[in-house]
DNA sequence: ACAAAAGTGTTGCTACTACACCCATGA
DNA sequence: TCATGGGTGTAGTAGCAACACTTTTGT
């Protein structure tokens, strides 16, 4: 009965770069699926005290990304998903900003790179399914949680924020209504700074106020 | 590295009985936690082709409940949650109607019973935390999915339906608005039958139309 | 003056909340 | 006729969708 099973943690890390939703992948150096791209992840270790911590550790080891939004997603465990034998994968969702990290591949990998979610290469194992699932969950998540703010810098313009919504949802949103509604939620702090990006009008910067979010009588819904 | 870890599936099965949300528990016959109440579940087996199937198998073996709504919830894997050694538990949510099953304990258990979610006994392992998590998820779930219909008979009165919402959400809802809004969603089929339950006006019966639900241009939201 | 992105206001409509009473039935 | 749960209507309000033009800046 108590079959021993191998357990991995694999992370779907998203970022938005110039209005494009991208996923962090590593290129495998060893079999199985040698030289295929895959999600960063690996086996849970005796030393890991929690699964969350195991996912964070693997992500850091394989890509050098650390200290980011990380949340458990779903566990994939169909027999046959790993040719080496029964392995279940606890999948994680990560949200981050590319500019904050310099990618560095581990010795197990021959590469690390960001791939647009709509132009993914062939992926190892059932990782394509995992990415699809993560994307679907992210679409819900930005509508009822402040997840979008994990994808942009601490100071951002309303346009930055809108680009996150548009790239995650894969559709345009009306910018007048977007601004009105987001400002109305009361979670944005208007800063006394503006951008200065080119030969056009500078944009006001905002920050997300966790405090204000927590203090609202009802959770706002970020649906556009 | 590739530590072998034991994997269990444990199910939080909910039902609503006379306006009370209840959880299905089994009483353990063996150590650890001998004679404590626990969630039905057990080790994933070599023969299980999927985790979903493993959860269904364990639920049936331990309580005789089968063919019910069953969905993966979350995976609990903190080191130390099982005194026997590293064990992770893939938790499942089940929704069902008590009257459809006659409970029968397995030989591993000295009892099976429904417990009101607000009056739970001490539970084995971290099962109390798992139940709490499942309840929280169920509260969301009935608001954006037709999950509530898995908790009542195929033919039901609007009152039955309302009792499901009230017991899951732990609060009263305005019955005028509840009826109006639910009828407006277009997912209910009005039947030509009524109940006949006592010395008062009989109630009209309805059924949930999966078809109508699927065909709606936008998913209705069941928020009251 | 032009190119580029920032920023804004109104109207119509839908859908929600809040609220209290009459109806049908069997005993 | 009473007790019990079944069933309904309205008015006010809030918030949404749809829609196009003006502003600011650097070159």
């Amino acid at each position: 009965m108590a079959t021993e099973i191998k357990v991995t943690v694999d992370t779907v890390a998203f970022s938005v770069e110039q209005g494009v939703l991208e996923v962090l992948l590593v290129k495998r150096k060893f079999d199985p699926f040698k030289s295929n791209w895959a999600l960063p992840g690996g086996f849970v270790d005796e030393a890991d005290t929690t699964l969350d911590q195991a996912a964070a550790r693997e992500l850091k080891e394989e890509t050098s990304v650390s200290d980011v939004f990380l949340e458990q997603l779903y566990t994939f465990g169909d027999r046959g998903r790993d040719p080496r034998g029964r392995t279940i994968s606890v999948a994680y969702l990560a949200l981050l900003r590319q500019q904050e990290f310099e990618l560095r591949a581990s010795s197990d990998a021959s590469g690390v790179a960001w791939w647009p979610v709509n132009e993914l290469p062939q992926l190892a194992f059932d990782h394509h399914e995992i990415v699809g699932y993560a994307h679907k969950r992210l679409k819900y998540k930005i509508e009822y949680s402040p997840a979008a703010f994990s994808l942009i810098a601490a100071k951002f313009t309303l346009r930055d924020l809108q680009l996150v919504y548009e790239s995650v949802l894969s559709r345009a949103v009306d910018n007048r209504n977007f601004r009105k509604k987001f400002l109305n939620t009361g979670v944005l702090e208007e800063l006394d700074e503006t951008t200065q990006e080119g030969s056009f009008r500078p944009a006001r910067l905002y920050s997300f106020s966790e405090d204000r979010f927590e203090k609202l009588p009802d959770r706002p819904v970020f649906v556009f």
Side-chain angles (χ1 to χ4, degrees), chain A:
Chain A
M1 21 185 305
T3 314
E4 298 237 328
I5 294 179
K6 296 198 202 75
V7 179
T8 66
V9 283
D10 293 298
T11 298
V12 183
F14 286 113
S15 70
V16 173
E17 202 61 16
Q18 268 130 266
V20 177
L21 183 66
E22 300 185 341
V23 181
L24 183 57
L25 299 176
V26 299
K27 192 162 187 173
R28 294 175 62 87
K29 216 180 204 169
F30 304 110
D31 267 321
F33 296 101
K34 182 177 163 177
S35 82
N36 270 226
W37 291 89
L39 294 174
F43 292 105
V44 173
D45 202 288
E46 203 47 63
D48 296 318
T49 54
T50 66
L51 295 172
D52 289 19
Q53 187 258 306
R57 177 184 57 72
E58 284 286 352
L59 182 61
K60 185 169 187 178
E61 284 176 17
E62 300 214 323
T63 68
S64 83
V65 165
S66 63
D67 297 306
V68 295
F69 175 96
L70 192 63
E71 189 183 81
Q72 192 189 303
L73 253 191
Y74 194 79
T75 298
F76 294 81
D78 286 10
R79 205 171 54 186
R81 58 176 294 284
D82 187 326
R84 290 168 295 190
R86 187 100 194 209
T87 305
I88 75 169
S89 166
V90 182
Y92 276 78
L93 172 69
L95 303 177
L96 59 115
R97 314 171 249 293
Q98 288 187 25
Q99 324 81 270
E100 294 186 7
F101 301 93
E102 200 184 330
L103 300 182
R104 216 173 325 108
S106 78
S107 47
D108 295 5
S110 57
V112 201
W114 288 101
W115 287 79
V117 74
N118 294 323
E119 304 164 26
L120 293 180
Q122 280 275 158
L123 298 184
F125 307 102
D126 52 0
H127 288 186
H128 198 89
E129 181 188 356
I130 297 179
V131 173
Y133 186 84
H135 188 186
K136 197 174 94 188
R137 280 276 288 270
L138 179 59
K139 287 184 186 184
Y140 287 108
K141 213 167 168 50
I142 61 165
E143 297 200 329
Y144 64 80
S145 86
F149 300 106
S150 300
L151 289 163
I152 48 180
K155 297 175 179 186
F156 51 85
T157 65
L158 288 174
R159 180 181 181 74
D160 294 335
L161 188 56
Q162 188 176 343
L163 279 174
V164 166
Y165 279 84
E166 294 188 325
S167 58
V168 169
L169 300 174
S170 321
R171 62 181 167 80
V173 308
D174 182 288
N175 85 97
R176 287 165 287 196
N177 294 335
F178 180 86
R179 284 157 179 265
K180 245 179 305 174
K181 191 163 172 189
F182 231 119
L183 290 172
N184 266 338
T185 60
V187 303
L188 299 184
E189 198 109 44
E190 185 173 335
L191 303 177
D192 276 335
E193 300 174 61
T194 53
T195 50
Q196 198 57 53
E197 302 235 308
S199 58
F200 49 85
R201 181 172 178 174
R204 162 141 272 121
L205 288 168
Y206 294 84
S207 67
F208 168 63
S209 166
E210 184 81 38
D211 262 27
R212 289 195 189 182
F213 177 77
E214 295 298 343
K215 281 181 188 138
L216 290 172
D218 307 291
R219 288 293 102 108
V221 178
F222 307 112
V223 176
F224 304 96

